[in-house]
Amino acid sequence: MWRMARPRKPLLSRNRIVEAAGALVDAEGLDAVSTRRLAAALGVSGPSLYNHFRTKDEILEAVADAVSARVDLSMFEGEGKGGGEGGNEGADAGGAGSGGDAGGGERDWRGALHAWAHSYRDALSDHPNIVPVLARGPGRRPAGLRLADAVFGAMTAAGWPPAQATRIGALMRYFILGSAVASFARGFVDDEAAYDPSDYPHLGQAHLLAERQREVDEGAFETGLTALLDGLALQYEALREKPST
Amino acid sequence: MWRMARPRKPLLSRNRIVEAAGALVDAEGLDAVSTRRLAAALGVSGPSLYNHFRTKDEILEAVADAVSARVDLSMFEGEGKGGGEGGNEGADAGGAGSGGDAGGGERDWRGALHAWAHSYRDALSDHPNIVPVLARGPGRRPAGLRLADAVFGAMTAAGWPPAQATRIGALMRYFILGSAVASFARGFVDDEAAYDPSDYPHLGQAHLLAERQREVDEGAFETGLTALLDGLALQYEALREKPST
DNA sequence: ACCTGAACACCGTTCAAGT
DNA sequence: ACCTGAACACCGTTCAAGT
């Protein structure tokens, strides 16, 4: 046995950094994350982080990616011919339900999209402060691409043409992220006195209350999701009737 | 006449500040806006800004509000019983068109929503860098509330129940802002080498290119908007048949 | 009322130095 | 290879002082 090098274990790792950053974001918000504060929480000195990430932004991207990775994708299973170690079974496979008047597409793409949308929104509402990071830019982080891939694969397997399958992944993402950003990406202001109701003839005073905002957000999400899926079902039917183009 | 006080005109005004801030955001991005840089662009010294705004964030909110104010609302006109000085006539009242299979709701709420969505998206794409500020939080800035009020007024006038009218305003906002944030709120990364195509079995190499991204974003926006409006038309029809609840 | 310079308490990131 | 202290070039905001 030659001489054992490797004196003591490294204090930091990418994983430990991402975990601490996520906790800090959750507890105190995006603005609270400075390299010095984060390093202090890890019992280490500021610049040490740069041995593991090239910029602070890369750390936040990794936190956002970890949240994306927690989104359930099991509802899309059954068609994938690709790799993966299949770790994503569990989660609440609860009330999918679907509408019913679409006639039951092959393998129920509609129900899968519905369940996925809710799983996605729930993951975001657990970590509202990271949503702005997650929303910006196209989904180019690993977990974001994995989401896009799963949706694309399931939609094409259900009979959607590839171009439409790509669009469905994108438009669902718009709606879900848009709802998350607008709903809980920012603390409510609630300084009602600043808004004069007489400026907005149709809106009642009630519209300005934070509590009411929560109701509206949830109702709007469900109404919008249903409309989106109903509208897509219409396109899907039209596709079955005249399969040209 | 008593002694004239008021020696010389103030150098700054809220308007001048918002204009300069908007130009800086457009030209160099959100991060380029520091109080010192902005003040310098106005030929003034850093802390002067605090005579007109309480925080830097308030300045950015005002910039975002100015962009919202540019969204065309003329397509919602004709039902408002409230105040307002009616300044919003002009703009491109171009290709509304509508789908046609909804049966022509009273005053064409569908066509109005379609035209509005495009006008909104266009306004955002003219100033992509401010979109993250505009998207976050519920629409509590004056222009944001004016938008919500116009949509609500037009939808109730068209026969939608108030609760649904509120939801429609919110869900349309989710989709439009979500699409804007995801599409052009952030420069494309485009370091293709960082992504291994074999990790995403269904996605081709082409999906990772920025140029293709633009196509996808536009197609997804139009497909999603159509689906949303088709789905809402379905709900509207159901409402006409059994006007209970 | 509005603008200034100086100052406070921070930032992200680089770099030579240590082990 | 990984961590450190010191340093650089910035921040947002406050405040006493000027006019």
Side-chain angles (χ1 to χ4, degrees), chain B residues 173-241:
Chain B
R173 197 171 169 267
Y174 298 162
F175 181 71
I176 295 160
L177 290 179
S179 131
V181 172
S183 298
F184 38 71
R186 183 81 150 169
F188 293 97
V189 191
D190 232 0
D191 46 349
E192 302 155 44
Y195 303 98
D196 182 349
S198 75
D199 288 346
Y200 317 104
H202 304 108
L203 262 40
Q205 175 78 6
H207 286 256
L208 301 175
L209 301 177
E211 201 186 346
R212 168 140 172 89
Q213 193 62 45
R214 249 192 84 89
E215 284 172 44
V216 171
D217 282 327
E218 256 146 50
F221 181 76
E222 198 53 52
T223 299
L225 179 56
T226 300
L228 223 32
L229 297 176
D230 283 347
L232 290 175
L234 245 42
Q235 291 184 34
Y236 188 78
E237 282 169 41
L239 219 65
R240 301 286 90 172
E241 280 159 20

Side-chain angles (χ1 to χ4, degrees), chain A residues 87-137:
Chain A
N88 235 347
E89 302 300 326
D92 54 325
S98 172
D101 58 326
E106 26 217 58
R107 308 205 195 229
D108 195 15
W109 58 268
R110 193 199 209 281
L113 282 183
H114 188 269
W116 172 67
H118 274 282
S119 157
Y120 204 155
R121 181 175 152 101
D122 289 349
L124 299 181
S125 80
D126 283 345
H127 306 280
N129 296 333
I130 199 66
V131 169
V133 176
L134 213 154
R136 74 196 177 191

Side-chain angles (χ1 to χ4, degrees), chain A:
Chain A
M1 332 277 155
W2 52 96
R3 227 154 17 101
M4 291 293 221
R6 188 136 59 85
R8 48 195 167 93
K9 285 187 63 180
L11 300 176
L12 253 33
S13 73
R14 286 177 66 96
N15 254 325
R16 255 171 58 70
I17 293 172
V18 172
E19 225 160 284
L24 193 53
V25 169
D26 283 348
E28 307 199 40
L30 262 188
D31 292 343
V33 182
S34 78
T35 53
R36 285 169 175 86
R37 288 254 269 139
L38 176 55
L42 286 158
V44 116
S45 184
S48 307
L49 301 171
Y50 291 85
N51 283 300
H52 303 267
F53 288 92
R54 269 197 350 238
T55 69
K56 172 187 149 180
D57 215 63
E58 251 181 28
I59 299 176
L60 292 176
E61 293 282 333
V63 172
D65 199 55
V67 172
S68 292
R70 236 171 263 126
V71 176
D72 183 24
L73 294 178
S74 62
M75 67 287 289
F76 294 128
E77 268 160 30
E79 13 270 329
K81 45 168 60 162
E85 41 272 0
N88 235 347
E89 302 300 326
D92 54 325
S98 172
D101 58 326
E106 26 217 58
R107 308 205 195 229
D108 195 15
W109 58 268
R110 193 199 209 281
L113 282 183
H114 188 269
W116 172 67
H118 274 282
S119 157
Y120 204 155
R121 181 175 152 101
D122 289 349
L124 299 181
S125 80
D126 283 345
H127 306 280
N129 296 333
I130 199 66
V131 169
V133 176
L134 213 154
R136 74 196 177 191
R140 283 183 175 291
R141 291 167 236 91
L145 286 169
R146 204 146 33 229
L147 290 189
D149 188 64
V151 177
F152 182 84
M155 293 305 110
T156 50
W160 284 97
Q164 282 298 82
T166 300
R167 288 173 181 174
I168 290 173
L171 69 91
M172 292 291 294
R173 196 170 169 267
Y174 299 162
F175 181 71
I176 295 161
L177 290 179
S179 132
V181 171
S183 298
F184 38 72
R186 182 80 151 171
F188 293 97
V189 190
D190 232 1
D191 47 348
E192 302 155 46
Y195 304 98
D196 182 349
S198 75
D199 288 344
Y200 317 102
H202 305 109
L203 262 38
Q205 176 77 7
H207 286 257
L208 301 174
L209 300 176
E211 201 186 347
R212 168 140 173 88
Q213 193 61 45
R214 249 193 83 90
E215 284 172 44
V216 171
D217 282 327
E218 255 146 49
F221 180 76
E222 198 55 50
T223 300
L225 179 56
T226 300
L228 223 31
L229 296 177
D230 282 348
L232 289 176
L234 245 40
Q235 291 184 34
Y236 187 79
E237 282 168 43
L239 219 64
R240 302 284 91 172
E241 280 157 19
K242 50 158 185 87
S244 70
T245 301

Side-chain angles (χ1 to χ4, degrees), chain B residues 3-10:
Chain B
R3 223 143 35 91
M4 290 295 222
R6 188 138 54 88
R8 48 194 167 94
K9 285 187 63 181

Side-chain angles (χ1 to χ4, degrees), chain B residues 33-113:
Chain B
V33 182
S34 78
T35 54
R36 286 170 175 85
R37 289 253 270 139
L38 175 55
L42 287 158
V44 115
S45 183
S48 307
L49 301 172
Y50 290 85
N51 284 299
H52 304 266
F53 288 93
R54 271 199 346 239
T55 68
K56 172 187 148 179
D57 216 64
E58 251 181 28
I59 299 176
L60 292 176
E61 293 282 332
V63 173
D65 199 56
V67 171
S68 293
R70 238 170 261 127
V71 177
D72 182 26
L73 294 178
S74 61
M75 67 287 289
F76 294 129
E77 266 158 30
E79 12 272 328
K81 45 168 59 163
E85 39 273 359
N88 235 350
E89 302 300 328
D92 55 323
S98 172
D101 58 329
E106 25 217 60
R107 309 204 193 229
D108 195 15
W109 58 268
R110 193 199 209 279
L113 283 183

